[in-house]
Amino acid sequence: MAMLSYTPPTEPWTDIVYEDEHILAVNKPSGLLSVPGKAAEHYDSMWSRLVADYPDIQVVHRLDMSTSGLMLLAKTKEAERSVKKQFQYRLTHKIYYARVWGTPKESEGLIDLPLICDWPNRPRQKVCYEHGKPSQTYYQVVEQEEKTSIVRLFPITGRSHQLRVHLLALGHPIVGDEFYAHEEAMNYSDRLELHASELCFYHPQTEQLQAIFVPCDFYPQTEQLVIEHFDPAPQLPDYKTLPRP
């Protein structure tokens, strides 16, 4: 499905929430690409806004254009290799918040549904038990509202559109989701209400566990919740067990 129009937000141009000699973390707004698209008019992205000031900056993971929140970038090749390998071997913890339509029957649980690209309708994804890749998401309902709920999400795997499709399969699409929400849920918000709020990883230089947090604009109460209290998320493996390049 081609992008019909692209008018990313420009204020603030960038929102850097952490920086040292090795890594940089930003709060990406909803509506901005993580990296440039193929068309010239889709060049504006989180990476292209940073590369003018940081010529060696490298993206180590991406967020969907409609998803807001924490993106981690590497300032050196060594940092890039280290952090990418942590994502590859699932040595990172990521916490998202979403406003979903309705309220899940169970207040928390594991969504374990294999996913595959819905090729005729790409970039949409779908559940496919025969050919889909294993995909797991822990969820926890943190607040019930009149028509919606706030759900805290811990993706074990990192498939494309994983959180969006898993919540749809649970019967509770994310509001404002142009791909998966029904009309009422789609029109409930002028943006996809999905936000990457917390990231826990091993610093590429010190090898010490580090956590970065960015607040959620549609649910400010995220500041009261911390990554260590998410149960039943598994513990991170020891960084020293990570295979070296």
Side-chain angles (χ1 to χ4, degrees), residues 6-16 19 24 26-37 41-59 65 67 71 73:
Y6 181 48
T7 54
T10 57
E11 286 294 333
W13 186 248
T14 59
D15 180 10
I16 298 174
E19 180 180 3
L24 182 147
V26 294
N27 186 8
K28 186 190 82 68
S30 175
L32 178 67
L33 290 166
S34 292
V35 297
E41 60 268 28
H42 300 154
Y43 178 75
D44 187 15
S45 64
M46 197 72 260
W47 175 85
S48 63
R49 293 183 180 186
L50 291 167
V51 73
D53 294 323
Y54 304 92
D56 298 322
I57 201 77
Q58 297 290 328
V59 174
M65 183 182 75
T67 303
M71 269 187 67
L73 301 100

Side-chain angles (χ1 to χ4, degrees), residues 152-168:
R152 195 171 189 229
L153 301 162
F154 177 89
I156 304 301
T157 52
R159 311 300 179 198
S160 179
H161 289 194
Q162 175 176 315
L163 302 179
R164 300 162 77 166
V165 179
H166 273 178
L167 288 167
L168 173 68

Side-chain angles (χ1 to χ4, degrees), residues 18 20 28 34 46 54 60 79 134 136 147 160 165 187 198 202 206 208 215 221 239:
Y18 177 85
D20 62 28
K28 186 190 82 68
S34 292
M46 197 72 260
Y54 304 92
V60 296
Q136 295 180 317
K147 292 185 177 181
S160 179
V165 179
N187 294 332
E198 302 176 50
Y202 291 99
T206 67
Q208 296 299 307
Q221 295 91 322
Y239 179 84

